[in-house]
């Protein structure tokens, strides 16, 4: 497996809509290797999610740790061609960061209860019911597939902060 280069804010790939992945592509060993490499890259950079465009791949694939409190025992899941369906209109603001925007955090409103309809890495249909933090992660990563960065979702830029300042002034209770 390999650590992939992560595109940083300003690279055009982050603003393009990724193309859908055909089921037949998922049988290609190179696509399976890409998924494994994305998982390894996400872990290397201590992320909880990573989307195709972030590693210069314009495909509708993301990998994520979808536990309420991701840790070393969390299993990464690959999500292909996701569709997000809100289960209610309730949104909550929460802190977000991004591997493509290192060292910056901001408050982003997201749906608190969603269904993700997608394919798994074997091309089988899947449906995940996600709430709270996992729902936030899935929405953030799906935004990347649409060329949207978390800045675009912020209702105010006043919360933007460097990670060092965030760590100094905001407790883990706010994550």
């Amino acid at each position: 497996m390999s650590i992939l280069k992560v595109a940083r804010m300003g690279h055009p790939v982050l603003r393009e809509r990724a193309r859908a992945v055909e089921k037949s592509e998922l049988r290609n060993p190179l696509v399976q290797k890409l998924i494994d490499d994305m998982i390894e890259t996400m872990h290397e950079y201590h992320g909880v999610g990573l989307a195709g465009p972030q590693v210069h791949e314009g495909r509708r694939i993301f990998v994520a740790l979808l536990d309420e409190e991701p840790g070393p025992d969390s299993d990464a899941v690959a999500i292909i061609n996701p569709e997000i369906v809100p289960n209610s209109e309730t949104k909550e603001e929460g802190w977000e960061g991004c591997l493509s925007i290192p060292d910056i955090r901001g408050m982003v409103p997201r749906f608190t209860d969603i269904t993700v309809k997608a394919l798994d890495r074997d091309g089988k249909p899947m449906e995940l019911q996600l709430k709270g933090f996992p729902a936030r992660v899935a929405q953030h990563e799906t935004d990347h597939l649409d060329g949207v960065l978390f800045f675009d979702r912020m209702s105010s830029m006043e919360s933007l902060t460097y990670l060092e300042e965030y760590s100094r002034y905001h407790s883990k209770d706010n994550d």
Side-chain angles (χ1 to χ4, degrees):
M1 288 192 283
S2 305
I3 304 299
L4 304 171
K5 183 175 180 179
V6 175
R8 291 176 51 151
M9 184 174 64
H11 194 290
V13 73
L14 295 173
R15 291 304 193 166
E16 296 167 3
R17 182 173 171 81
R19 70 168 179 79
V21 177
E22 299 295 325
K23 278 186 180 184
S24 60
E25 286 180 77
L26 293 172
R27 289 191 289 274
N28 184 326
L30 291 176
V31 174
Q32 291 297 315
K33 182 181 182 323
L34 169 64
I35 293 169
D36 290 336
D37 290 347
M38 288 175 66
I39 291 168
E40 186 171 353
T41 301
M42 176 185 66
H43 286 304
E44 175 71 16
Y45 291 103
H46 308 289
V48 294
L50 186 67
Q54 290 183 276
V55 292
H56 307 271
E57 279 288 334
R59 301 178 203 218
R60 295 188 75 76
I61 299 173
F62 76 78
V63 298
L65 304 176
L66 296 177
D67 294 342
E68 187 59 43
E69 293 187 29
D73 296 331
S74 298
D75 288 327
V77 61
I79 308 287
I80 319 299
N81 300 335
E83 176 191 342
I84 303 284
V85 179
N87 294 327
S88 80
E89 293 301 310
T90 305
K91 288 186 177 182
E92 232 176 54
E93 289 218 334
W95 288 104
E96 290 189 21
C98 182
L99 296 178
S100 293
I101 311 170
D103 300 325
I104 301 286
R105 299 291 180 271
M107 291 290 280
V108 182
R110 299 279 186 191
F111 291 106
T112 58
D113 183 0
I114 63 169
T115 299
V116 179
K117 297 177 181 180
L119 300 176
D120 68 12
R121 70 182 297 163
D122 298 318
K124 294 185 178 106
M126 64 188 302
E127 200 167 289
L128 300 172
Q129 305 296 318
L130 301 174
K131 294 183 180 191
F133 185 72
R136 177 172 297 281
V137 171
Q139 290 169 87
H140 178 109
E141 299 309 329
T142 300
D143 273 354
H144 275 301
L145 304 179
D146 294 328
V148 174
L149 299 176
F150 79 83
F151 289 164
D152 303 328
R153 298 279 185 205
M154 293 176 65
S155 51
S156 166
M157 293 292 158
E158 288 180 25
S159 68
L160 271 182
T161 184
Y162 284 99
L163 180 58
E164 182 179 328
E165 300 303 314
Y166 169 84
S167 299
R168 185 177 296 149
Y169 297 110
H170 302 280
S171 71
K172 286 285 186 188
D173 298 334
N174 291 333
D175 286 347

